[in-house]
Amino acid sequence: MEAIILAGGFGTRLRPFTFTRAKSLLPILNEPMISHLIRTLPKKVDTVILAVNYRREQIEEYFNKHDFGKTIIVNEEPEPLGTGGAVKYADQYITGPFFTLNADIICSLNLAEMLRFHEKKKATATISLWPIENVSEFGVVDIKKDGNITKFVEKPKAEDAPSDLINAGAYLLEPQVLNYIEPGKLVSMEKQIFPQIINNTGRFFGYKFQGHWIDVGRISSYISVHALLLEKQKKTFATGEQCTIQGTLKSSCAGNMVRIGKNTTVESSILFDQVTVGDNVSLDHCVIGEHCEIGDGSVLRNVAIGDNEIIEKHTKLDNAVVWNQPIPQGYPNKQIGNVIGE
Ligand code: GTP
């Protein structure tokens, strides 16, 4: 059985970190985001098709060293084709029902159970569903008791919402779904294809699950996924190899060869490999890219600093993004992906 993992987006909301790397390789507890997802695949999935585009070579390099005991196919689109176009582009590898998974979701969904549900319902498509509180900011599903979805309702008023359930980014599709997608075109699975499956087959189902779900699309959710996973592991912090930590880490993660000076506090923050933080520094809700240096006495709050930046001593920054290098050629200046639920 195949699983297509959608990992070709630019990840513009996670800039400046995605200026230098594929979003799916951003570290979560010092392991690439995508590896957390691959570990949740059922045994039955023996082939993983990585639908890639931006920073394809980094993804290929990682999977050349880590195959997770599965056949890995790196399928590069000539240009980003969107979530539907990327699936169509993989159709030569599809031999039966297949999973399609967003690479940037960290959740407790049991894919083997979702498969059983899909088979029992004889569904053409099954999507995972997650409950949210603020329905008016999302697209929610209109769903019957047996799980049959009859439509999507965009950003309803709370009192008009047919449910509190949103698309959680994991799909199980019968190969016939591929017939609905025009090849070589930019196509959104969620906006263009799912409504057609609902209308033409009536066999579009939703699979609800419990536990946790985080769409790691933004810096804030990138920080909160660390907090959640640390809590689950009953840890207050995590560090990689060869770190020198003299200060204090709370609800934070440091990569390999990180140095943190005396009287320094790092709270709800993520430091990539080879970051050096001086003495008497305070970091709160910050993400610091590889090889950065933070000077003594600096106070940073809600700050994202791209790779290789140097922050002078006694710098004070609040709600800032630091990136002083050229933006990579071809990187879009606005979001082109379609955000789950928006
Ligand atoms: P933003 O630019 O911040 O919206 O991020 P994104 O480009 O990753 O878009 P979004 O979060 O909507 O994408 C959801 C998932 O689909 C991510 O795992 C993306 O990598 C993937 N994705 C989005 N667009 C494409 C595409 O055109 N091709 C492929 N192969 N994957 C895509």
Side-chain angles (χ1 to χ4, degrees):
M1 180 177 188
E2 297 82 28
I4 300 176
I5 298 186
L6 296 167
F10 285 95
T12 55
R13 291 166 297 154
L14 280 164
R15 66 176 82 192
F17 306 104
T18 47
F19 285 152
T20 43
R21 60 176 74 64
K23 169 163 137 181
S24 59
L25 296 181
L26 280 173
I28 294 183
L29 292 185
N30 293 326
E31 277 197 277
M33 186 186 299
I34 197 167
S35 66
H36 293 262
L37 172 66
I38 290 195
R39 282 212 200 85
T40 69
L41 291 173
K43 273 216 179 76
K44 208 168 171 187
V45 173
D46 54 6
T47 305
V48 175
I49 301 149
L50 300 164
V52 297
N53 183 265
Y54 177 64
R55 300 280 178 199
R56 186 258 313 150
E57 65 297 339
Q58 294 179 346
I59 295 175
E60 199 158 33
E61 193 187 326
Y62 176 73
F63 282 98
N64 281 341
K65 292 185 200 139
H66 308 86
D67 68 5
F68 297 85
K70 305 201 185 279
T71 302
I72 306 277
I73 297 167
V74 178
N75 199 38
E76 185 187 6
E77 297 145 52
E79 60 196 333
L81 293 173
T83 49
V87 168
K88 181 70 177 178
Y89 196 69
D91 66 354
Q92 60 175 310
Y93 302 112
I94 301 303
T95 59
F98 60 100
F99 283 105
T100 297
L101 307 165
N102 281 6
D104 55 355
I105 305 285
I106 298 286
C107 69
S108 51
L109 171 63
N110 183 324
L111 293 168
E113 277 176 20
M114 181 172 166
L115 176 58
R116 281 193 285 278
F117 174 91
H118 176 85
E119 288 170 346
K120 202 169 126 203
K121 297 291 176 189
K122 297 191 170 36
T124 304
T126 300
I127 68 168
S128 57
L129 295 174
W130 180 252
I132 38 105
E133 277 168 20
N134 42 340
V135 282
S136 57
E137 291 170 31
F138 290 91
V140 295
V141 293
D142 197 340
I143 185 168
K144 292 192 201 152
K145 270 217 173 81
D146 67 349
N148 191 223
I149 293 174
T150 51
K151 61 176 184 299
F152 287 90
V153 182
E154 284 304 312
K155 301 184 180 164
K157 284 190 201 147
E159 59 273 25
D160 301 334
S163 76
D164 62 352
L165 297 165
I166 62 163
N167 167 5
Y171 317 133
L172 189 40
L173 308 172
E174 291 298 312
Q176 72 189 81
V177 169
L178 295 165
N179 300 336
Y180 290 85
I181 312 172
E182 212 182 322
K185 290 264 166 66
L186 184 72
V187 179
S188 159
M189 189 65 113
E190 299 77 8
K191 294 203 161 79
Q192 292 161 264
I193 305 306
F194 287 167
Q196 289 187 58
I197 310 289
I198 292 174
N199 292 335
N200 294 358
T201 74
R203 304 225 56 82
F204 191 92
F205 283 82
Y207 178 75
K208 294 177 249 180
F209 66 100
Q210 287 176 336
H212 62 270
W213 179 83
I214 297 190
D215 172 4
V216 192
R218 297 187 161 84
I219 305 271
S220 55
S221 53
Y222 183 59
I223 291 175
S224 50
V225 79
H226 279 82
L228 177 99
L229 296 181
L230 283 169
E231 202 186 303
K232 288 205 163 298
Q233 295 183 5
K234 299 194 173 24
K235 288 182 181 168
T236 47
F237 66 89
T239 53
E241 290 167 13
Q242 298 177 49
C243 293
T244 312
I245 313 283
Q246 293 175 290
T248 314
L249 287 164
K250 289 183 204 156
S251 194
S252 293
C253 180
N256 298 320
M257 289 185 267
V258 168
R259 290 165 50 194
I260 296 176
K262 291 183 220 109
N263 295 320
T264 283
T265 314
V266 177
E267 186 152 3
S268 301
S269 295
I270 296 118
L271 315 183
F272 290 14
D273 291 347
Q274 299 184 54
V275 167
T276 301
V277 185
D279 298 336
N280 303 307
V281 172
S282 168
L283 301 179
D284 183 13
H285 286 85
C286 294
V287 183
I288 316 287
E290 264 177 39
H291 296 285
C292 285
E293 291 177 30
I294 314 292
D296 294 346
S298 295
V299 179
L300 311 184
R301 199 172 157 272
N302 289 327
V303 175
I305 306 179
D307 294 348
N308 302 309
E309 296 284 347
I310 294 179
I311 303 296
E312 300 293 332
K313 287 181 182 181
H314 306 294
T315 299
K316 302 236 177 319
L317 283 175
D318 212 335
N319 291 311
V321 173
V322 178
W323 180 257
N324 291 305
Q325 301 149 66
I327 291 175
Q329 239 190 349
Y331 193 96
N333 54 17
K334 62 175 178 50
Q335 187 183 7
I336 57 168
N338 56 292
V339 185
I340 283 197
E342 286 180 11

